[in-house]
Amino acid sequence: MSVKINHYAQPIETNIRTCIEAGFIELFIGLICAAFAYFTYNESLVLFVSTALIAVVCFGLTLFNLYGVIDHFRSQRQQQALQNTLKSDE
């Protein structure tokens, strides 16, 4: 009998469906890491720096997702306005 072994990385299936959900997850991870950074400020410098860096990155990604959502809605609104003007010209 032979055993088949896969030696490559399998894709990860997530249940995240929208950018807003991903933004909330990143925001809460950032808040948790910021709390860890706050409480480890005087205890361990390595733990403080690592959690603070993760928190900053998570907050940056949250802002980037928020910008992406706003930009997407803005472009949809502009396309809708353009379509309305084209229909009114006919």
Side-chain angles (χ1 to χ4, degrees):
M1 276 192 207
S2 65
V3 177
K4 183 179 178 184
I5 299 174
N6 293 330
H7 293 286
Y8 56 91
Q10 299 291 326
I12 298 172
E13 295 180 17
T14 62
N15 58 357
I16 298 175
R17 293 180 178 87
T18 63
C19 289
I20 296 172
E21 289 178 10
F24 278 125
I25 290 171
E26 290 166 357
L27 176 68
F28 289 124
I29 290 172
L31 288 174
I32 290 168
C33 288
F36 281 141
Y38 178 76
F39 288 115
T40 61
Y41 178 68
N42 290 330
E43 303 299 320
S44 174
L45 182 63
V46 174
L47 189 60
F48 167 73
V49 170
S50 63
T51 54
L53 181 66
I54 293 170
V56 168
V57 169
C58 285
F59 291 142
L61 288 173
T62 302
L63 291 175
F64 182 72
N65 277 340
L66 182 64
Y67 172 75
V69 168
I70 291 171
D71 189 42
H72 178 71
F73 285 133
R74 185 181 299 155
S75 67
Q76 280 184 342
R77 181 183 283 173
Q78 287 175 351
Q79 287 177 353
Q80 186 67 29
L82 182 62
Q83 287 176 356
N84 290 340
T85 57
L86 291 175
K87 286 181 182 178
S88 65
D89 289 341
E90 293 176 355

